[in-house]
């Protein structure tokens, strides 16, 4: 037996005693048109609960990024830790990411996990099936391995109504992968539950079901069997896509809607599919689920989408045929911090996980007790302090500080401090305060890394006024006493 498995079994043996039942602490009340909802803390003090899954027996599973798996009895609140995977490698957005239970868990007690490993300098992303038996997870079976990285791993798992296992993978931050059908990154993969390739895949020798994706963070089937994904754009056009067999979704040639000459040319040549919703400024969409319950009738036939930059829950109202998103509402913006995933219980209650202990914490977070599992459910008790969702509106005519908050603050932070070793500080930065030409060129052209990926996205989509406003703000904030930049200077360097 390897040393890693010895430690794993020792961890399991130490976790067989039940933890104390968790009492629910109410945070807020939500007032909808006819329903009143209570917001409570189901669990706290977690470490980046990346994926939530409710199995067919009504238990809530939690996968924490560092490799821990636990299960909560939603009737009693009892939480039991089941597994610590020793080989999980967590750096930035690698780690334990995707999780799904077999849809008939009582007969097939299988839990499917996707996580990142690193051996020497080789990073891999593994799809592993575990068997749940005797309050433990045993018999790990590797179904598939693909290339992994420190970012753009995706990754979500879901079972379809056809009984097949779907895996949404990221492009590994390599722009050559998403359109390469020989690579399994930047794809929707479709497998049989045992990991074999279904005979009715587009290519019966390949797991690829659809392609042309950047970094998918959500994967959800509706009650009618439609498959949706949420995906991070680069600097613009975060997306929700409706997935079709053999569909090409355009990345990296197309970002979001097909509206530039080069994008239109690629779309015509490759019959690409546009997203059914996109956001600019970006909101960093994360986990997503379909809501079809009568428990909250106002939200029936919606996609519930958690966001990281937006730090909100988005309620995306689907058309009757599920082909479009005519409207959306926003809830909890900046209230609980970054939200990573969402799941729905058998009674229609909604469960959210916060992500305030992750690699990119936002100002004012983490909060005490983070990370948390938050429960939303109907109540008969009304409160004078209730909150309500707000209609999403387009953002127009922002000044420099507002533009910076929309496009730059999630990386370089509201105070310009950046993230050490990842995003450089802008505060009191001599390069920012110096010759404006290289700063303007960086904003417009971005920065490309050795593998062709964007180390910093290009912001050439901003008009001259917006670009000048952002750079003038950066050069005058946080102790950067520099001259303003004009629209004319921007235009001269396009």
């Amino acid at each position: 037996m390897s040393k890693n498995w010895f430690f794993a079994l020792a961890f399991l043996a130490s976790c067989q005693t039940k933890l104390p039942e968790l009492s629910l602490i109410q945070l807020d009340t939500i007032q909808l048109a006819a329903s009143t909802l209570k917001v409570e803390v189901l669990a706290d003090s977690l470490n980046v609960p990346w994926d939530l899954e409710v199995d067919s027996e009504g238990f809530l599973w939690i996968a924490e990024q560092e490799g821990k798996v636990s299960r909560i009895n939603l009737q009693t609140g009892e939480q039991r830790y089941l597994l610590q995977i020793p080989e999980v490698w967590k750096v930035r957005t690698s780690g334990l990411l995707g999780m799904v239970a077999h849809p008939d868990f009582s007969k097939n007690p299988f839990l499917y996990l996707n996580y990142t490993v690193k051996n020497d300098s080789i990073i891999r992303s593994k799809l592993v099936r575990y068997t749940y038996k005797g309050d433990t997870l045993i018999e790990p079976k590797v179904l598939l391995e693909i290339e992994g990285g420190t970012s753009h791993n995706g990754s979500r798992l879901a079972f379809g109504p056809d009984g097949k296992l779907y895996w949404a993978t990221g492009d590994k931050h390599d722009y050559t992968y998403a359109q390469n059908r020989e690579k399994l990154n930047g794809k929707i993969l479709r497998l049989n539950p045992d990991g074999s390739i279904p005979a009715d895949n587009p290519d019966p020798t390949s797991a690829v079901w659809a392609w042309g994706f950047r970094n998918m963070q959500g994967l959800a089937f509706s009650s009618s069997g439609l498959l949706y994904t949420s995906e991070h754009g680069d600097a613009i056009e975060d997306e929700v896509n409706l997935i079709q067999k053999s569909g090409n979704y355009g990345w990296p040639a197309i970002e979001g809607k097909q509206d530039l000459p080069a994008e239109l040319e690629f779309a015509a040549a490759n019959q690409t599919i546009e997203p059914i919703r996109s956001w600019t400024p970006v909101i960093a969409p994360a986990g997503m689920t379909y809501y079809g319950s009568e428990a909250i009738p106002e939200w029936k036939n919606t996609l519930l989408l958690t966001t990281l930059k937006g730090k909100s829950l988005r309620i995306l109202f689907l058309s009757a045929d599920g082909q479009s998103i005519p409207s959306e509402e926003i809830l909890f913006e900046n209230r609980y911090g970054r939200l990573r995933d969402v799941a729905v219980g058998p009674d229609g209650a909604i469960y959210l996980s916060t992500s305030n202990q992750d690699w990119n914490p936002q100002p004012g977070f983490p909060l005490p007790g983070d990370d948390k599992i938050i429960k939303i459910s109907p109540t008969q008790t009304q409160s004078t302090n209730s909150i309500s969702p707000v209609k999403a509106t387009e953002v127009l005519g922002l000044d420099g500080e507002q533009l910076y908050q929309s496009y730059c603050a999630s990386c370089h932070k509201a105070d310009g401090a950046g993230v050490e070793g990842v995003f450089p500080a802008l505060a009191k930065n001599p390069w920012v305060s110096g010759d404006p030409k290289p700063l303007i060129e960086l904003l417009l052209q971005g920065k490309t890394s050795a593998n062709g990926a964007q180390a910093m996205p290009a912001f050439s989509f901003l008009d001259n006024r917006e670009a000048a406003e952002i750079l003038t703000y950066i050069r005058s904030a946080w102790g950067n006493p520099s001259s303003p930049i004009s629209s004319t200077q921007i235009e001269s360097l396009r």
Side-chain angles (χ1 to χ4, degrees):
M1 181 182 294
S2 72
K3 181 163 49 174
N4 278 346
W5 286 114
F6 174 81
F7 286 129
L9 291 173
F11 177 88
L12 288 174
S14 70
C15 294
Q16 294 310 298
T17 57
K18 293 182 179 180
L19 298 178
E21 291 188 6
L22 302 175
S23 59
L24 300 187
I25 301 172
Q26 186 159 339
L27 300 175
D28 281 310
T29 301
I30 304 169
Q31 189 59 56
L32 304 181
S35 303
T36 302
L37 312 176
K38 58 184 175 181
V39 183
E40 304 167 286
V41 176
L42 177 67
D44 62 16
S45 303
L46 301 170
N47 192 329
V48 194
W50 197 284
D51 206 316
L52 303 178
E53 166 77 3
V54 177
D55 67 25
S56 59
E57 296 182 327
F59 289 84
L60 177 68
W61 294 79
I62 304 169
E64 296 176 64
Q65 189 186 6
E66 63 185 359
K68 291 182 180 179
V69 179
S70 59
R71 194 175 85 151
I72 294 180
N73 183 326
L74 293 178
Q75 299 299 314
T76 66
E78 175 200 339
Q79 181 178 7
R80 187 185 292 272
Y81 290 99
L82 302 176
L83 180 67
Q84 170 71 63
I85 307 172
E87 65 176 345
V88 166
W89 184 70
K90 175 191 170 186
V91 173
R92 290 186 64 183
T93 57
S94 66
L96 174 53
L97 305 179
M99 175 176 64
V100 69
H102 191 282
D104 189 353
F105 197 72
S106 59
K107 292 183 178 179
N108 300 283
F110 299 134
L111 188 73
Y112 297 78
L113 300 174
N114 164 239
Y115 57 84
T116 318
V117 299
K118 184 178 182 183
N119 295 312
D120 297 324
S121 62
I122 306 301
I123 304 172
R124 304 289 290 173
S125 184
K126 297 175 71 169
L127 176 64
V128 184
R129 187 189 76 186
Y130 284 81
T131 300
Y132 177 69
K133 185 176 182 180
D135 279 338
T136 63
L137 290 167
I138 60 173
E139 300 173 357
K141 179 183 178 182
V142 178
L143 303 185
L144 186 61
E145 285 193 36
I146 65 173
E147 294 182 43
T150 59
S151 63
H152 290 213
N153 290 294
S155 149
R156 296 292 180 182
L157 300 170
F159 270 94
D162 56 3
K164 306 303 182 185
L165 175 61
Y166 292 76
W167 181 10
T169 69
D171 69 359
K172 203 182 70 74
H173 221 148
D174 189 319
Y175 283 15
T176 67
Y177 278 31
Q179 290 296 321
N180 183 347
R181 300 272 298 274
E182 299 300 315
K183 297 287 187 179
L184 298 183
N185 298 81
K187 309 293 190 300
I188 298 286
L189 307 180
R190 180 174 181 260
L191 300 165
N192 291 316
D194 63 0
S196 60
I197 297 172
D200 58 346
N201 270 11
D203 176 352
T205 68
S206 170
V208 174
W209 182 253
W211 58 94
F213 302 100
R214 182 176 182 267
N215 191 24
M216 288 174 286
Q217 297 289 295
L219 187 69
F221 279 94
S222 73
S223 58
S224 62
L226 297 178
L227 177 59
Y228 301 90
T229 62
S230 59
E231 180 175 359
H232 288 180
D234 198 354
I236 56 173
E237 303 250 40
D238 284 342
E239 303 177 0
V240 167
N241 285 295
L242 176 57
I243 302 303
Q244 299 178 20
K245 179 181 181 179
S246 298
N248 184 345
Y249 289 79
W251 178 259
I254 300 172
E255 184 173 10
K257 298 290 187 179
Q258 301 163 179
D259 48 17
L260 299 176
E263 292 179 335
L264 292 169
E265 182 180 352
F266 185 88
N270 294 276
Q271 291 79 52
T272 56
I273 300 169
E274 284 193 308
I276 61 172
R277 182 71 173 95
S278 67
W279 292 269
T280 299
V282 292
I283 60 172
M288 179 174 66
T289 195
Y290 176 79
Y291 194 83
S293 174
E294 297 283 358
I296 308 175
E298 293 92 334
W299 291 352
K300 187 175 181 181
N301 194 38
T302 64
L303 295 173
L304 303 179
L305 176 68
T306 55
T307 73
L308 302 170
K309 287 186 179 179
K311 300 188 286 296
S312 63
L313 175 67
R314 300 260 173 159
I315 301 97
L316 310 180
F317 293 87
L318 291 166
S319 58
D321 62 4
Q323 300 290 317
S324 63
I325 299 172
S327 65
E328 66 178 282
E329 293 179 350
I330 305 171
L331 191 61
F332 303 143
E333 194 161 27
N334 296 315
R335 201 170 187 90
Y336 305 129
R338 289 157 68 86
L339 298 180
R340 179 66 65 176
D341 200 21
V342 54
V344 177
D347 59 355
I350 297 165
Y351 301 90
L352 308 173
S353 64
T354 70
S355 192
N356 295 319
Q357 300 279 4
D358 65 23
W359 73 284
N360 192 17
Q362 298 302 296
F365 298 95
L367 299 172
D370 276 336
D371 278 319
K372 305 179 183 75
I373 306 299
I374 295 171
K375 178 183 179 181
I376 304 171
S377 59
T379 182
Q380 300 300 316
T381 304
Q382 297 192 14
S383 169
T384 56
N385 298 320
S386 63
I387 58 177
S388 300
V390 298
K391 292 287 185 183
T393 57
E394 297 297 325
V395 180
L396 301 171
L398 301 182
D399 63 22
E401 183 176 4
Q402 293 167 326
L403 288 163
Y404 177 84
Q405 294 299 327
S406 295
Y407 291 108
C408 312
S410 63
C411 296
H412 296 286
K413 305 305 175 188
D415 59 1
V419 177
E420 185 176 358
V422 184
F423 303 122
L426 303 179
K428 298 181 180 179
N429 185 328
W431 191 84
V432 169
S433 303
D435 181 1
K437 181 179 178 181
L439 186 64
I440 295 171
E441 291 176 337
L442 178 65
L443 182 77
L444 296 178
Q445 299 169 16
K447 183 179 180 181
T448 304
S449 59
N451 67 357
Q454 290 290 123
M456 173 181 157
F459 287 82
S460 56
F461 62 87
L462 295 173
D463 64 30
N464 293 338
R465 181 200 70 82
E466 292 170 329
E469 289 269 6
I470 283 183
L471 292 183
T472 296
Y473 173 74
I474 291 172
R475 283 165 60 85
S476 61
W478 323 302
N480 293 336
S482 304
S483 58
I485 289 177
S486 69
S487 298
T488 303
Q489 289 173 286
I490 302 294
E491 177 62 29
S492 69
L493 293 172
R494 281 194 182 273

